[in-house]
Amino acid sequence: MPGKLKVKIVAGRHLPVMDRASDLTDAFVEVKFGNTTFKTDVYPKSLNPQWNSEWFKFEVDDEELQDEPLQITVLDHDTYSANDAIGKVYIDIDPLLYSEAATVISGWFPIYDTIHGIRGEINVVVKVDLFNDLNRFRQSSCGVKFFCTTSIPKCYRAVIIHGFVEELVVNEDPEYQWIDRIRTPRASNEARQRLISLMSGELQRKIGLKVLEMRGNAVVGYLQCFDLEGESGLVVRAIGTVCTLDKLSNTSAFLPACNSPSKEMKEIPFNEDPNPNTHSSGPSTPLKNQTYSFSPSKSYSRQSSSSDTDLSLTPKTGMGSGSAGKEGGPFKTLLRQQTQSALEQREFPFFTLTTFPPGFLVHVGGVVSARSVKLLDRIHNPDEPETRDAWWAEIRQEIKSHAKALGCHAVVGYSESTSICEEVCILSASGTAAVLNPRFLQDGTVEGCLEQRIEEASPPGCGFCHIPYDELNMPFPAHLTYCYNCRKQKVPDVLFTTIDLPVEAIVIGKGCLIQARLCRLKKKAQAEANATSISNLLPFMEYEVHTQLMNKLKLRGMNALFGLRIQITVGENMLMGLASATGVYLAALPTPGGIQIAGKTPNDGTYEQHISHMQKKINDTIAKNKELYEINPPELPEEIIGSPIPEPRQRSRLLRSQSESSDEVTELDLSHGKKDAFVLEIDDTDAMEDVHSLLTDAPPPSGFYSCNTEIMPGISNWTPEIQMFTAVRVSRLGNINLTNQTLNKNFNDLCENLLKSLYFKLRSMVPCCLCHVNFTVALPEDELVQIAVTAVAITFDKNQTLQANKAPTEKSQQRASTDNEEQLQFPLELCPDPLASQPSLPAKEVLEGATSQTGIPAAQRDRCNSWIELIKLKAQTIRRGSIKTTASLDKTSPLAEGYLRHRSVPSCTNSTVSVVKMTPLSFLPGAKITKYLGIINMFFIRETTSLREEGGVSGFLHAFIAEVFAMVRAHVAALGGNAVVSYIMKQCVFMENPNKNQAQCLINVSGDAVIFVRESELEMLPVQPSTVVSQPTSSGGDVTT
Amino acid sequence: MTSDLDIFVGNTTLIDEEVYQLWLDGYTVSEAVSRRLRGGLLERSGTSVSVLQSDTRDHFRTFQMLERLLHSPPRLCQQLLFQIPPPRQAALIQGYYAFEPALARELLGKKLSKGTKKELDEVSARTGLSLRACRRQFDNFKRVFKAVEELKGPLAELIQQHFLLPPPLARDYAAIVFFANSRFETGKRRLQFLSFGDLAACAQHMMGHWTQGAMTPEAAEPDGDVPRSFLQDLKELKVLVSDKDLLDQHKSLVCSALRGKISVYNEMETNFKALSRALVNVGLKLPHPRDVRDFFVDLVEKVLDPCRSDHWSLGDLRLFLGSYTTAPRALGGFRHQLLWERYMAGISACLLRMYHE
């Protein structure tokens, strides 16, 4: 009996009128967890009932705690007929299950009904008493932390990054053909919501078990997706990166021993003995490491498969689970034959992270991706989801071999996705092949070749660009030069990656969002024929998307892409490809050559003229873009660049492209990829269209920048104002005589117009940058294209942009120092008497961080300021004398939270709603995340049978998305948080039937609930809360102000 | 390629003040778009008409969703659906409850009923406001009226509490509620020169001086009505004009006080009895619901018009009213000093406001 869940229903407000006669409602509440249900009394005749119930107690297994959501139903009591449901609230209690996160869930939740939307609010308090359970064979994995964030969360330190974890569960979809049974009562929607909630709980628990077996304590970059396979079922799958994380405040004890904050930060990863004080799970010596050295992939998958079968025997869930059980066989034998390096021992050396601790990423090879087309068949036995598992294993294997071909041992920035249309499913996986520093990984044993590479000590800022593969045995035709930064190693001419721009990278100018858009018609076909035609189309699409990206990159005078995401969507009669990435100019890579146009009929005078006109236009665009994005690489003498290159042929090409003369167009080498100057051959009208479309991409209006990565290269002085938004458009491709060209143009216009309207809407925020712009394309019906965009607009200070191009070392120093501040502020605050334990160092450290930020030499101001700081600290501890004990009792910084809550009460006197920020990024500009409260993973269905009355499709979806935001915010606020980071809308499935006046939409969102503190407030914090808390004691007379 | 569905939802609800005003003014989406185009927005932001249309539609949709909440502003502050910073919420509420004085002037003293609502198209034609805007403003009046109808306490404060309006706006609404309760006639041609501001100020003065709330905050009667007891007592003032002696004494007291101080002394002296009779009679009519309607007409016709035709200055009127009010203190045999001064304070304030030289 390892847990007791306690729930209290406090009150309701703004309930809908359920009794027309009295214009009032007789509301009561049912609280359900697992199979136990409690009821409150009926609160008669009120729209604002005050139930103030007793504590309802559920005594449950922790396994159940992880799987089940708490279900709260508000009903209207009716004496003569059945009670009418008003709506429901599902609360995921997972955040209460690990000790560092929230301790209580308490607040107002919107009461949600799948037919009517939000109908009033209910105030609920939820607590969990968890008893320790040391049973090794337990089925639960309470205590494993989950993060959607694809980097090491801000207030943690990665002790070990273990590697890839995956799991999937399948079930039958309770309602797979909604349109046929459109009059489905809300019960059907609710069954579906509940099932998915259960499945994701189960999935998370199983992943947690794997994490514990890998001896990690957290999953970072957790990505959970649903595949609505229609008749063949419902798949919930997840991937993530297992880590052993250490809360940063724990390390503060030995931190002051280090003099320079920046040095300290850099050394943490290399520390042989990283956690001397607290952690038990992390191995501390290489020798001890050996004792753990079971092959992680093998053992954990076996164990989990056995646990899976155990699970399937438990009667309460009728669903199955998947795992690398039987199907893993051949791969493992394959593995055994291989010489094993630290990474190769893993089944899949994949990492879902996109940002890494400094020094982790050694070299980057390039993007690897794999797709496969599958025919869905009914999942006859949900307990044996092997087929789905095998499909993914196959793809992952392919990714792995691609990475190997690039001379890389790992794949970073890894993600998986699907696109389903009828019974055809495209599975996609992509990532960036990379060589990693093994010191971060569990197995300390380092292979010779790996070790060697690292010992070479690649210079910061360009090391990751250096090719990991063998120059003489290149996997693909590439054009290598010596690195423009260190001139020691070879680099490719362009670099495509799926990760974020490493902090240490040296970038010239700013970045920009680059998209490749493509449509291909396909014949309507059934089953196998359909799958075959799709498989045949895929390589062409990939090729064209790649070409478009390359052209657009060159057109902007840039040489690298980060955050590349290629999405291929399948519809009934077409395929759509949308690739988004952030283009930058990496100082280490060569200057990209221009684009040259060549015509097929050189004798035709007018044609020639036209070509040269186009050429001029392109050259102008490139020049304009270079100016726009401030790309002014330092001019290098050509000899220096050219001389190390042995082949004279290549050298001449290089020179030619540098001079950008267009008179050499006649001598063409069409095997592109081998040359600098990119040649576009115009041989028919199609190609002409392509060139035109290249030039139609309008640059963002002045004051706007956009990117799809976390940070915008070249902008660092963010101001705290952010605006997260979701925009959705559905367009009808009306024509019957569609051609690829018109389709392409329509699709292109759709995307461009959408971007344009975003810029227009957000014009009041200028200067600002749209970050993490995430497009998703769906083809819900024959002629419909749906595009959903989620992004965040962040304002920045224009006046300081000049300072933005700081040397990267300076930047990393800055980062380190701010991180240090983060570590210190809170321990300091809570330490009952900081003066006794560490006389002057902490204050000094903090100060150093602050001063180095403002750019004033720290040493000069050091002495007097630290003196002032000391006085402040002293005063504070004296003042806080009476409340000291209560403050230090709590696990983290209760003062910070109290202060925060106090502050977040808006100035509007009647308002009690606290502001919750949402962002797809992992950070909030100008703020520090002080606590992670747990993962938010919510799934909602909304349906209407009165579409016109709700304002048509736009009104319906607008309201629904607003409701989803509201419910996410309410949950975060109830956890005590004030922001969601790494927010993502993973699914938005919209279906309409205007003739029947009906529509339905499914939305799945996730993110990390956090508490943040503004940096400006943080400085005041040590003083401010004491005044807040000391108010009661002031009567005692021990406060002097 | 037509867009069937086109939405934008921000975590913080995006509100464009210009578009909000267009919506409040009752324009349709296409009218609003053409207005925005005329404002030169296209040139400034370098965008296309379709973008502008989509933006306008989006905003209008948001406002329609917000409208339900704006009907009860405290709910707007408590609701979770739209995250709007409190200053923005206040601006939204203020914008929604702002009204055109010309429209309010038309409606003053009318019953806020369905019948009146049906006449709004005429009002719309007269004021140049769109019918939609007229309806919204009318509904606002009615909503506020209904909300405070049964409540007790100072009217303006009640309205401020229930609708979170800024104090000046709440006072204006209080005036509208006061007029709706009292049903004073204000539509006569003779009264057309009085603006909404004038009448609202009068209402505030009357409430301020006469209603129970002004005397004791926890009064038993709603503020929108002048208490009956006070009105009944006004009958006692009759002696001031019916008793010849008192009238004469009153006159001589005022005359001696004002001699040399006002420019229109002679005119005042000759007109004193007529003025005094008019001023007292207005009070005597107040207890009779049928005669109440004539309150403003009487004040204008019997007090202000004679003054105006004699070219009194505002200062003259002020001085006269001042001594006229205080003089009875010296009147032997007049026992209703407090009642008199309370009554005259209200009347004087109204007259001074209404007197346009």
Side-chain angles (χ1 to χ4, degrees):
Chain A
M1 187 62 64
K4 195 189 268 177
L5 172 70
K6 299 191 289 182
V7 184
K8 184 179 177 132
I9 306 297
V10 183
R13 67 183 182 195
H14 312 318
L15 296 188
V17 170
M18 297 300 281
D19 179 3
R20 292 252 167 254
S22 66
D23 267 3
L24 290 166
T25 296
D26 305 320
F28 71 100
V29 182
E30 273 182 14
V31 184
K32 190 175 176 202
F33 189 80
N35 294 320
T36 318
T37 307
F38 291 102
K39 280 182 194 173
T40 66
D41 297 334
V42 175
Y43 194 92
K45 303 207 183 310
S46 172
L47 298 183
N48 300 293
Q50 304 289 321
W51 291 290
N52 232 330
S53 78
E54 60 189 294
W55 284 100
F56 300 123
K57 297 186 181 92
F58 300 88
E59 298 184 331
V60 279
D61 292 342
D62 48 359
E63 186 184 331
E64 213 174 344
L65 279 173
Q66 283 191 294
D67 286 6
E68 294 269 348
L70 175 66
Q71 187 180 321
I72 293 166
T73 314
V74 186
L75 298 113
D76 176 51
H77 175 75
D78 209 325
T79 322
Y80 304 108
S81 58
N83 298 327
D84 294 322
I86 295 172
K88 291 195 176 208
V89 179
Y90 292 96
I91 301 177
D92 180 13
I93 45 167
D94 213 49
L96 296 178
L97 301 183
Y98 39 90
S99 51
E100 284 157 52
T103 52
V104 62
I105 298 177
S106 164
W108 289 98
F109 291 89
I111 302 168
Y112 180 73
D113 179 68
T114 57
I115 308 293
H116 294 101
I118 291 178
R119 306 172 95 188
E121 289 127 34
I122 184 169
N123 194 317
V124 180
V125 185
V126 185
K127 284 181 179 173
V128 171
D129 289 338
L130 212 56
F131 313 125
N132 269 335
D133 180 16
L134 299 173
N135 179 7
R136 297 178 54 218
F137 304 104
R138 62 186 182 160
Q139 297 293 317
S140 80
S141 54
C142 292
V144 174
K145 290 183 280 286
F146 285 80
F147 300 92
C148 295
T149 301
T150 56
S151 56
I152 300 303
K154 290 287 182 287
C155 41
Y156 291 91
R157 183 172 70 87
V159 179
I160 304 164
I161 298 172
H162 298 269
F164 189 62
V165 64
E166 52 77 30
E167 183 64 275
L168 63 81
V169 294
V170 298
N171 203 327
E172 277 191 56
D173 193 338
E175 185 212 320
Y176 48 86
Q177 279 185 319
W178 74 277
I179 207 109
D180 296 336
R181 290 192 275 154
I182 189 103
R183 292 198 189 280
T184 317
R186 59 169 60 80
S188 160
N189 289 335
E190 282 170 7
R192 216 169 168 196
Q193 281 192 171
R194 196 179 122 78
L195 177 74
I196 291 193
S197 183
L198 262 170
M199 285 170 81
S200 50
E202 185 195 343
L203 187 72
Q204 210 171 314
R205 175 173 56 79
K206 288 186 171 174
I207 293 242
L209 279 172
K210 290 188 175 182
V211 172
L212 292 176
E213 280 158 27
M214 289 167 84
R215 297 185 185 262
N217 64 3
V219 181
V220 180
Y222 183 67
L223 179 70
Q224 185 190 298
C225 290
F226 300 95
D227 294 331
L228 301 167
E229 294 186 352
E231 283 187 52
S232 57
L234 187 63
V235 177
V236 184
R237 58 190 162 79
I239 54 174
T241 305
V242 181
C243 295
T244 300
L245 296 183
D246 205 359
K247 196 129 202 309
L248 269 178
S249 51
N250 295 351
T251 62
S252 64
F254 65 88
L255 207 112
C258 194
N259 293 331
S260 147
S262 62
K263 198 177 156 200
E264 162 66 18
M265 240 348 247
K266 277 198 177 149
E267 281 196 354
I268 284 175
F270 299 96
N271 205 327
E272 288 291 331
D273 191 3
N275 51 350
N277 43 359
T278 49
H279 242 277
S280 55
S281 63
S284 48
T285 64
L287 186 78
K288 206 174 167 192
N289 235 341
Q290 295 296 338
T291 60
Y292 291 153
S293 71
F294 58 88
S295 158
S297 60
K298 278 179 230 159
S299 54
Y300 82 67
S301 54
R302 283 232 184 89
Q303 278 179 23
S304 69
S305 67
S306 66
S307 71
D308 285 345
T309 47
D310 285 349
L311 263 178
S312 59
L313 292 175
T314 57
K316 70 173 174 53
T317 58
M319 70 194 65
S321 57
S323 147
K326 297 169 207 164
E327 86 288 0
F331 304 129
K332 275 171 198 150
T333 48
L334 197 81
L335 269 175
R336 260 178 236 122
Q337 293 162 356
Q338 291 166 348
T339 50
Q340 298 185 348
S341 77
L343 277 169
E344 280 164 348
Q345 272 186 359
R346 289 153 211 266
E347 188 174 21
F348 298 114
F350 297 168
F351 299 85
T352 55
L353 303 180
T354 57
T355 310
F356 309 92
F360 183 74
L361 203 61
V362 181
H363 299 303
V364 170
V367 169
V368 285
S369 74
R371 283 178 217 282
S372 104
V373 182
K374 297 288 182 193
L375 269 181
L376 298 172
D377 50 347
R378 194 170 199 115
I379 302 171
H380 292 292
N381 184 1
D383 293 337
E384 287 173 18
E386 271 91 4
T387 47
R388 301 295 182 282
D389 253 333
W391 290 352
W392 286 111
E394 210 174 273
I395 284 203
R396 289 173 193 140
Q397 203 57 40
E398 199 179 328
I399 290 276
K400 192 181 171 186
S401 62
H402 284 329
K404 219 171 185 141
L406 285 171
C408 296
H409 300 269
V411 176
V412 293
Y414 179 74
S415 66
E416 294 176 348
S417 63
T418 57
S419 171
I420 297 169
C421 180
E422 305 284 305
E423 73 270 87
V424 176
C425 174
I426 303 182
L427 309 178
S428 312
S430 71
T432 305
V435 174
L436 305 177
N437 185 340
R439 289 191 221 217
F440 286 90
L441 309 164
Q442 190 177 15
D443 315 79
T445 51
V446 181
E447 285 294 299
C449 64
L450 264 171
E451 184 76 62
Q452 213 178 359
R453 275 218 180 83
I454 291 131
E455 292 312 313
E456 280 165 13
S458 20
C462 66
F464 72 93
C465 305
H466 301 159
I467 53 161
Y469 36 85
D470 190 351
E471 195 187 333
L472 299 171
N473 194 8
M474 281 199 297
F476 51 86
H479 180 200
L480 302 180
T481 47
Y482 275 103
C483 175
Y484 277 46
N485 189 43
C486 65
R487 306 195 201 292
K488 285 177 193 146
Q489 304 267 331
K490 292 275 175 89
V491 292
D493 52 350
V494 284
L495 187 62
F496 284 16
T497 73
T498 59
I499 55 170
D500 269 332
L501 186 70
V503 229
E504 64 268 23
I506 302 170
V507 175
I508 292 170
K510 294 192 169 64
C512 75
L513 180 73
I514 293 178
Q515 285 194 323
R517 303 150 187 151
L518 190 67
C519 296
R520 279 290 167 269
L521 285 170
K522 135 187 121 56
K523 284 210 178 69
K524 274 192 189 176
Q526 290 301 307
E528 218 134 312
N530 195 16
T532 317
S533 68
I534 293 170
S535 317
N536 291 342
L537 272 172
L538 279 180
F540 293 99
M541 292 196 66
E542 296 250 21
Y543 177 83
E544 280 194 50
V545 164
H546 189 84
T547 313
Q548 243 187 65
L549 282 175
M550 191 68 100
N551 286 339
K552 291 190 175 178
L553 185 68
K554 302 246 174 202
L555 203 63
R556 282 168 179 80
M558 296 174 182
N559 58 18
L561 285 180
F562 287 89
L564 176 64
R565 191 167 156 265
I566 302 175
Q567 199 195 345
I568 292 194
T569 311
V570 56
E572 277 189 21
N573 57 350
M574 64 177 116
L575 286 174
M576 289 213 154
L578 180 68
S580 307
T582 302
V584 293
Y585 186 104
L586 285 178
L589 302 191
T591 313
I595 297 175
Q596 292 177 3
I597 300 183
K600 260 282 159 78
T601 48
N603 298 328
D604 189 342
T606 56
Y607 192 69
E608 197 83 330
Q609 208 179 355
H610 182 69
I611 296 278
S612 68
H613 176 69
M614 295 278 284
Q615 181 68 57
K616 191 177 169 301
K617 243 169 123 180
I618 286 181
N619 291 348
D620 288 352
T621 312
I622 294 178
K624 221 188 288 165
N625 278 329
K626 279 189 175 173
E627 199 178 322
L628 181 66
Y629 300 113
E630 295 162 27
I631 299 167
N632 325 298
E635 291 291 328
L636 292 171
E638 278 168 10
E639 292 89 283
I640 298 177
I641 310 160
S643 60
I645 295 164
E647 302 90 346
R649 202 177 72 107
Q650 279 197 0
R651 188 181 168 192
S652 70
R653 285 199 186 288
L654 183 79
L655 291 174
R656 189 191 65 191
S657 70
Q658 292 267 314
S659 58
E660 270 181 32
S661 58
S662 53
D663 51 358
E664 285 183 53
V665 271
T666 40
E667 51 156 292
L668 286 173
D669 183 354
L670 289 174
S671 64
H672 79 244
K674 274 210 167 176
K675 64 179 109 350
D676 265 89
F678 217 69
V679 178
L680 281 183
E681 195 187 343
I682 302 179
D683 48 2
D684 55 13
T685 47
D686 286 15
M688 203 58 151
E689 289 288 327
D690 288 348
V691 175
H692 274 298
S693 72
L694 263 187
L695 294 165
T696 53
D697 276 15
S702 73
F704 269 109
Y705 292 94
S706 57
C707 63
N708 75 334
T709 46
E710 285 251 314
I711 47 166
M712 175 66 171
I715 300 176
S716 60
N717 40 314
W718 302 109
T719 46
E721 196 190 338
I722 64 166
Q723 168 69 286
M724 193 282 297
F725 60 85
T726 294
V728 183
R729 273 194 189 185
V730 175
S731 271
R732 195 170 287 279
L733 308 160
N735 306 338
I736 308 149
N737 301 320
L738 281 175
T739 61
N740 281 338
Q741 254 61 46
T742 55
L743 260 181
N744 273 343
K745 192 178 173 315
N746 283 341
F747 185 38
N748 214 34
D749 289 351
L750 185 60
C751 293
E752 283 291 317
N753 283 336
L754 186 48
L755 279 172
K756 247 187 234 169
S757 84
L758 296 183
Y759 294 136
F760 180 74
K761 283 216 176 276
L762 300 162
R763 66 194 184 284
S764 64
M765 292 180 77
V766 159
C768 89
C769 178
L770 297 188
C771 294
H772 216 286
V773 179
N774 187 7
F775 274 69
T776 44
V777 181
L779 297 163
E781 264 171 65
D782 239 5
E783 289 165 347
L784 292 183
V785 182
Q786 175 194 319
I787 300 184
V789 186
T790 299
V792 63
I794 311 182
T795 55
F796 61 91
D797 193 346
K798 206 167 193 176
N799 300 326
Q800 287 170 35
T801 36
L802 292 175
Q803 295 174 16
N805 284 332
K806 283 175 204 142
T809 45
E810 208 177 307
K811 220 189 261 174
S812 66
Q813 223 163 26
Q814 241 183 34
R815 269 175 86 92
S817 61
T818 49
D819 282 348
N820 245 341
E821 249 182 299
E822 197 171 277
Q823 295 163 20
L824 280 164
Q825 286 283 354
F826 292 97
L828 250 187
E829 195 194 347
L830 288 175
C831 190
D833 190 358
L835 300 178
S837 54
Q838 283 146 26
S840 68
L841 265 165
K844 198 172 157 191
E845 289 275 336
V846 171
L847 198 81
E848 254 173 31
T851 47
S852 75
Q853 261 191 322
T854 52
I856 301 158
Q860 287 175 19
R861 297 176 42 177
D862 216 351
R863 198 166 293 164
C864 64
N865 271 354
S866 62
W867 174 238
I868 292 165
E869 207 79 335
L870 268 179
I871 293 173
K872 270 192 197 159
L873 278 171
K874 213 167 195 169
Q876 180 199 336
T877 44
I878 292 165
R879 259 187 280 166
R880 284 170 53 194
S882 57
I883 51 115
K884 190 168 56 192
T885 45
T886 52
S888 51
L889 264 176
D890 216 307
K891 276 168 286 189
T892 53
S893 55
L895 290 182
E897 280 165 58
Y899 173 60
L900 214 104
R901 287 219 180 119
H902 174 77
R903 290 283 301 203
S904 63
V905 173
S907 54
C908 182
T909 45
N910 293 49
S911 176
T912 49
V913 183
S914 53
V915 173
V916 175
K917 299 220 173 200
M918 289 167 76
T919 173
L921 307 178
S922 65
F923 67 97
L924 288 140
K928 286 204 188 310
I929 294 170
T930 56
K931 196 174 177 185
Y932 280 81
L933 298 166
I935 199 168
I936 297 282
N937 188 8
M938 298 169 100
F939 177 81
F940 298 105
I941 301 177
R942 180 86 151 80
E943 190 170 331
T944 184
T945 50
S946 51
L947 189 57
R948 271 187 298 277
E949 293 77 2
E950 294 193 35
V953 284
S954 296
F956 171 72
L957 196 60
H958 190 144
F960 184 36
I961 291 178
E963 282 167 351
V964 169
F965 285 0
M967 287 185 277
V968 169
R969 287 193 302 256
H971 276 77
V972 173
L975 285 168
N978 57 2
V980 186
V981 296
S982 301
Y983 170 81
I984 178 173
M985 186 168 83
K986 291 177 293 192
Q987 218 135 23
C988 177
V989 184
F990 177 73
M991 292 163 284
E992 58 169 319
N993 191 341
N995 300 331
K996 284 187 170 174
N997 204 18
Q998 291 162 341
Q1000 191 193 37
C1001 186
L1002 294 82
I1003 287 185
N1004 178 214
V1005 297
S1006 65
D1008 293 326
V1010 300
I1011 298 177
F1012 74 87
V1013 182
R1014 290 242 160 274
E1015 261 157 18
S1016 51
E1017 288 171 12
L1018 203 62
E1019 282 155 27
M1020 299 148 51
L1021 209 58
V1023 188
Q1024 197 77 11
S1026 63
T1027 59
V1028 172
V1029 191
S1030 65
Q1031 269 164 359
T1033 61
S1034 67
S1035 57
D1038 56 349
V1039 177
T1040 50
T1041 37
Chain B
M1 192 124 131
T2 51
S3 280
D4 295 10
L5 187 158
D6 179 3
I7 56 157
F8 175 100
V9 190
N11 181 37
T12 305
T13 306
L14 213 62
I15 287 155
D16 184 311
E17 269 146 42
E18 187 199 338
V19 185
Y20 186 51
Q21 196 50 56
L22 290 170
W23 179 75
L24 288 174
D25 290 345
Y27 293 104
T28 61
V29 171
S30 54
E31 285 165 350
V33 169
S34 58
R35 291 226 150 210
R36 295 179 84 186
L37 282 173
R38 247 178 284 161
L41 190 60
L42 219 55
E43 291 75 36
R44 265 181 284 138
S45 52
T47 189
S48 65
V49 179
S50 67
V51 166
L52 207 58
Q53 276 169 342
S54 127
D55 179 67
T56 311
R57 261 198 298 270
D58 229 29
H59 281 301
F60 271 52
R61 204 181 309 118
T62 309
F63 299 143
Q64 271 153 23
M65 285 192 246
L66 278 170
E67 189 164 22
R68 194 173 45 92
L69 296 164
L70 281 165
H71 289 167
S72 130
R75 252 193 95 170
L76 180 72
C77 293
Q78 281 186 339
Q79 54 84 33
L80 306 174
L81 191 56
F82 299 98
Q83 183 158 279
I84 305 170
R88 258 283 145 76
Q89 287 179 351
L92 281 176
I93 295 166
Q94 201 177 335
Y96 192 78
Y97 282 90
F99 55 84
E100 188 57 45
L103 173 87
R105 178 68 185 81
E106 292 267 351
L107 294 177
L108 274 188
K110 285 195 179 141
K111 214 173 171 185
L112 297 174
S113 62
K114 282 210 177 101
T116 316
K117 194 171 179 180
K118 278 186 190 133
E119 292 163 22
L120 282 176
D121 41 356
E122 293 165 32
V123 178
S124 155
R126 275 202 295 277
T127 55
L129 287 173
S130 77
L131 186 58
R132 265 193 238 203
C134 287
R135 289 210 175 120
R136 174 180 58 81
Q137 294 178 18
F138 177 83
D139 289 340
N140 283 344
F141 296 154
K142 197 170 173 183
R143 192 175 315 111
V144 173
F145 179 76
K146 284 251 179 284
V148 297
E149 208 175 18
E150 314 273 294
L151 297 175
K152 321 225 176 315
L155 206 50
E157 274 175 46
L158 282 176
I159 293 171
Q160 209 178 316
Q161 241 171 53
H162 280 80
F163 293 92
L164 309 178
L165 301 179
L169 190 56
R171 282 199 290 275
D172 281 348
Y173 269 94
I176 290 164
V177 172
F178 181 78
F179 269 97
N181 268 331
S182 325
R183 311 279 311 284
F184 295 114
E185 171 69 61
T186 63
K188 284 244 168 75
R189 282 201 63 193
R190 292 287 303 112
L191 300 178
Q192 283 311 310
F193 74 99
L194 293 172
S195 70
F196 170 77
D198 294 334
L199 293 171
C202 291
Q204 277 152 24
H205 292 311
M206 285 189 265
M207 278 187 284
H209 293 105
W210 296 350
T211 61
Q212 206 104 36
M215 314 299 280
T216 48
E218 303 86 22
E221 270 184 85
D223 243 12
D225 282 320
V226 175
R228 293 232 60 88
S229 57
F230 172 68
L231 294 178
Q232 292 303 327
D233 290 348
L234 288 178
K235 286 176 185 159
E236 308 291 334
L237 301 178
K238 199 173 177 184
V239 284
L240 279 176
V241 285
S242 60
D243 188 320
K244 192 90 175 51
D245 283 353
L246 274 181
L247 185 59
D248 286 337
Q249 276 181 47
H250 193 178
K251 180 179 172 183
S252 62
L253 281 168
V254 173
C255 285
S256 63
L258 292 180
R259 182 162 302 147
K261 285 189 185 147
I262 57 172
S263 54
V264 287
Y265 180 74
N266 293 329
E267 290 87 342
M268 187 274 289
E269 199 176 10
T270 46
N271 270 341
F272 182 84
K273 287 192 180 166
L275 286 176
S276 184
R277 216 165 273 135
L279 286 167
V280 174
N281 280 335
V282 165
L284 296 181
K285 274 170 132 186
L286 279 178
H288 308 290
R290 229 186 253 164
D291 300 333
V292 154
R293 324 174 34 95
D294 301 331
F295 180 77
F296 286 100
V297 182
D298 286 350
L299 284 183
V300 170
E301 287 183 346
K302 295 184 176 147
V303 182
L304 296 179
D305 283 353
C307 293
R308 198 180 294 123
S309 58
D310 288 344
H311 304 290
W312 289 43
S313 71
L314 188 61
D316 294 338
L317 185 62
R318 184 174 293 117
L319 282 170
F320 168 74
L321 288 172
S323 25
Y324 179 74
T325 308
T326 51
R329 286 180 197 166
L331 280 178
F334 182 67
R335 292 165 297 130
H336 307 288
Q337 201 62 49
L338 274 178
L339 179 71
W340 169 249
E341 286 190 17
R342 181 177 169 194
Y343 167 70
M344 274 313 291
I347 292 287
S348 304
C350 289
L351 285 172
L352 289 170
R353 175 72 203 224
M354 287 157 68
Y355 190 60
H356 298 203
E357 280 174 68

